[in-house]
Amino acid sequence: MTSTEAGALRRLAPPARRFLAHRKGVLIRLALWSLAESGQAFLVGHAVARSVDEGFLAGDPRRGLLWLGVALVAVLSGARVVRGVFAQLAGVTEPLRDGLVRHAVDRSMARAAPGGPGGTDRAAVSRLTNQVEIARDSFAGLVLTLRSFVFTAAGALLGLLSLHPALLVVVLPPLAAGLALFLVTLRPMAAAQRRALAADEALGEHAASARAALRDLTACGTGPGAERHGADLVADAAAAARTLAGWAAVRTAALGVAGHLPVLALLVAVEWLRGHGVSVGALLGAFTYLVQSLLPALHTLMTALGAAGSRLLVVLDRILGPEPEPEPEPELELGSGLESEPASEPEPEPEPESGPSTASAPAAAFAVHTAAAPAVELRSVTLSYGVRAEPVLDALDLRVAPGEHLAVVGPSGIGKSTLTRLVAGTLAPSRGEVRVAGRVVTGRPAAELAALRVLVPQDAYVFSGTVGDNLAYLRTDPSPAELDAAVEAFGLAPLVERLGGLDATVRPAELSPGERQLVALVRAYLSPAPLLLLDEATCHLDPASEARAEKALAGRSGTLVVVAHRLSSAVRADRTLVLDGIRAQSGTHAELLGRSPLYRDLTGHWNS
């Protein structure tokens, strides 16, 4: 038994004693039915021995058949005994289940009540359904097998003694040896099971995280390191499995010794037993006791202790054990490193007065308002996808200066795309405030938001129309020179020439994902919006094309926020924001290499 299991036993012993003390009547009735089972085991072997010695071998078939009839009645009465046992068993297992359910509910309610530890009790549903049922079934199985072994073994051993004491001399040593060997395997096999489970969980967690971060691993060049770590985990899991298999083999040997060696010993010792006065009927009765009663009960006991016992101990400790300390909610600690300007909040300015409705009114209103405001500002922004879900972003503060080029990096699923959607105004925060050019973006009309920012996602949209219409979609009056310059800056000239010029019709299905992204990037480049948000908008471009596109976008007047597909984007940016779910840090490439372990991991292949 491991130290963890020993501690669990010490914690569970007092409530177990109290539980059983309140059910003495049920336990007494269960013991009486078990005594009937003990008597049944005794009668079957004894009746076989008497039928042979006093009936068939004595020349009295009628007496032999009578004793066989007694054995048959004893066997058939087993159905009534089992029914009585199960009826009393319900009086123990059902109160256990009800008590565990009440405890689980009280525990969950106490956590949520005022003055409780608080936090989400994520295990409550599992405790109320799966764990409680496992505890009830495991407890019922242990009660049945332990009770059956004790009373069946008592009846069988008493029967062997009544037939001849020499039978116990032959049967007991291998039986005791097998049982002792089995008990010796309990502690190391439990430890091996825990190690195998831990190794399997670690391997599964690594596989899941590597699968989710496959793009990051490829982009950062850290795939070989992840592969080596996975290989180490596979080797650990294989070693743990081999150790567990070794102890399972020892347990199988114990079952073989206890389950088969007594029969072989009895066969080998027949001549010696006959010389000590053991009759033929007594020998047949001894075989009956072993094969029909003692050995099956022992096999069931070993199996139950090896499986249901450990499972019951673990589940009861999970349900009745001490309440774990609530884990702190993840915080995004963003000190002065994220603030490129003083932290004082700008004075709120009045909304623009209503006036004539013109297409340029939103842009003009924002132009007046953004004279001294940060290009992007997040104030204690928290976002959760659900009431009880863990926050994707938690109390995030961020200021991006006008004209700044910010790269956002971090593992897949950490909240980078969520951040761009919040800034773009297409997603509302759970708490906090998001401002672009000094204005709160949540709930703003689409026309006002379009005048402020352009969001380019991973999957770029190209519509059926001319090449020029697609490029100038966000700007109605570009000059031919501006269009030509943009096409040249992004290296789009070969594609435009292949399609037949700016007046040629575009068929989106005939463009590759990278070509569609280039069209969308030129469209964003030509937009008059002062803020560009790229959510891995260069993921389908090769590194050279990506560098060229980012250089062109960074040279454009305005602010650029890039969710980086490759970490090379962080080197090209003025500043980089690193999200890791616990802390968020910002700084230049050199600064982050010095103070961010995650950033060093992501860019480790660049360090000498």
Side-chain angles (χ1 to χ4, degrees):
M1 182 177 295
T2 64
S3 58
T4 303
E5 290 170 331
L9 274 177
R10 287 192 294 270
R11 288 192 299 270
L12 296 176
R17 285 195 295 268
R18 290 193 298 269
F19 175 79
L20 295 176
H22 286 84
R23 284 154 187 86
K24 293 180 180 178
V26 175
L27 295 177
I28 291 173
R29 290 192 294 273
L30 187 60
L32 291 176
W33 280 109
S34 299
L35 279 176
E37 187 173 356
S38 182
Q40 175 203 11
F42 175 85
L43 277 178
V44 171
H46 193 79
V48 169
R50 298 291 294 273
S51 69
V52 173
D53 288 339
E54 299 179 7
F56 299 111
L57 290 181
D60 189 353
R62 292 182 60 186
R63 191 176 184 84
L65 291 173
L66 179 62
W67 277 111
L68 287 179
V70 172
L72 178 61
V73 170
V75 171
L76 294 177
S77 66
R80 182 71 182 91
V81 172
V82 170
R83 179 181 177 184
V85 166
F86 272 90
Q88 300 306 318
L89 184 66
V92 179
T93 57
E94 298 310 308
L96 174 69
R97 181 188 63 178
D98 296 342
L100 293 177
V101 168
R102 283 194 297 272
H103 183 85
V105 172
D106 292 344
R107 177 173 173 176
S108 182
M109 296 297 292
R111 166 177 277 209
T120 302
D121 191 2
R122 300 177 184 84
V125 175
S126 176
R127 286 197 295 266
L128 286 171
T129 55
N130 189 40
Q131 294 183 28
V132 166
E133 291 304 315
I134 288 176
R136 183 187 69 165
D137 294 344
S138 300
F139 179 69
L142 281 177
V143 170
L144 283 175
T145 54
L146 285 171
R147 175 207 57 80
S148 177
F149 174 75
V150 170
F151 286 93
T152 300
L157 294 176
L158 184 61
L160 288 171
L161 181 63
S162 68
L163 293 177
H164 201 288
L167 293 171
L168 291 178
V169 175
V170 175
V171 170
L172 276 182
L175 197 65
L179 187 58
L181 182 60
F182 170 76
L183 294 176
V184 167
T185 66
L186 285 179
R187 181 172 180 175
M189 190 163 186
Q193 285 175 332
R194 288 182 179 272
R195 286 195 299 270
L197 180 60
D200 186 63
E201 289 177 347
L203 180 59
E205 182 178 355
H206 173 75
S209 61
R211 183 172 60 250
L214 187 58
R215 177 178 294 170
D216 290 338
L217 292 173
T218 303
C220 302
T222 53
E227 182 180 357
R228 287 191 298 272
H229 182 53
D232 293 339
L233 292 176
V234 170
D236 292 342
R242 284 193 294 270
T243 302
L244 183 60
W247 284 110
V250 176
R251 176 171 290 181
T252 302
L255 288 173
V257 171
H260 302 291
L261 203 56
V263 177
L264 295 176
L266 197 59
L267 288 172
V268 172
V270 165
E271 185 176 354
W272 180 82
L273 290 171
R274 290 287 291 157
H276 283 74
V278 179
S279 65
V280 175
L283 287 172
L284 288 177
F287 280 113
T288 302
Y289 281 129
L290 288 176
V291 175
Q292 294 296 323
S293 300
L294 191 57
L295 299 185
L298 180 63
H299 187 277
T300 304
L301 173 69
M302 290 183 174
T303 304
L305 283 179
S310 298
R311 187 167 61 244
L312 176 63
L313 192 63
V314 171
V315 171
L316 285 180
D317 191 45
R318 292 287 295 170
I319 299 176
L320 301 177
E323 177 75 15
E325 291 295 328
E327 295 183 3
E329 296 290 340
E331 297 182 358
L332 297 175
E333 302 172 3
L334 304 170
S336 59
L338 289 185
E339 299 180 359
S340 58
E341 296 186 1
S344 59
E345 296 185 0
E347 292 295 327
E349 299 187 18
E351 298 290 335
E353 297 181 0
S354 60
S357 175
T358 63
S360 60
F366 279 117
V368 171
H369 189 76
T370 59
V376 177
E377 185 176 18
L378 276 68
R379 301 178 180 179
S380 299
V381 169
T382 298
L383 184 125
S384 299
Y385 291 104
V387 177
R388 297 183 179 274
E390 292 288 342
V392 180
L393 298 174
D394 191 5
L396 176 62
D397 295 307
L398 175 66
R399 290 165 67 94
V400 182
E404 188 176 7
H405 177 188
L406 177 73
V408 182
V409 301
S412 292
I414 205 65
K416 304 188 295 294
S417 296
T418 298
L419 177 62
T420 60
R421 292 178 60 196
L422 286 168
V423 175
T426 61
L427 184 65
S430 305
R431 292 189 299 275
E433 194 173 72
V434 181
R435 291 174 176 260
V436 172
R439 287 292 184 90
V440 176
V441 297
T442 305
R444 288 286 173 184
E448 293 184 4
L449 293 176
L452 271 185
R453 88 293 179 267
V454 175
L455 172 62
V456 184
Q458 298 180 34
D459 299 320
Y461 173 69
V462 176
F463 56 86
S464 296
T466 67
V467 177
D469 289 342
N470 270 279
L471 298 180
Y473 178 70
L474 299 177
R475 181 173 175 180
T476 57
D477 58 348
S479 66
E482 288 175 324
L483 282 176
D484 291 338
V487 168
E488 186 64 29
F490 284 83
L492 200 63
L495 174 62
V496 174
E497 184 179 350
R498 191 190 82 205
L499 295 176
L502 294 175
D503 295 328
T505 301
V506 175
R507 295 180 177 83
E510 296 178 359
L511 299 183
S512 69
E515 291 170 339
R516 288 197 293 270
Q517 280 191 328
L518 282 175
V519 171
L521 290 171
V522 173
R523 179 191 301 157
Y525 175 82
L526 292 170
S527 167
L531 172 63
L532 294 188
L533 302 168
L534 307 185
D535 183 9
E536 296 195 17
T538 59
C539 62
H540 297 300
L541 302 182
D542 59 79
S545 299
E546 180 184 52
R548 183 172 186 171
E550 284 190 13
K551 180 180 178 180
L553 292 169
R556 171 187 181 275
S557 62
T559 306
L560 178 63
V561 176
V562 179
V563 173
H565 170 63
R566 297 180 179 91
L567 268 296
S568 54
S569 297
V571 178
R572 292 189 289 266
D574 300 327
R575 187 163 56 110
T576 299
L577 172 67
V578 182
L579 298 177
D580 66 2
I582 300 175
R583 298 191 71 246
Q585 299 187 60
S586 76
T588 65
H589 172 67
E591 291 170 346
L592 290 173
L593 285 177
R595 68 170 186 255
S596 173
L598 174 61
Y599 191 75
R600 286 196 298 273
D601 288 342
L602 293 174
T603 61
H605 66 295
W606 293 343
N607 292 337
S608 59

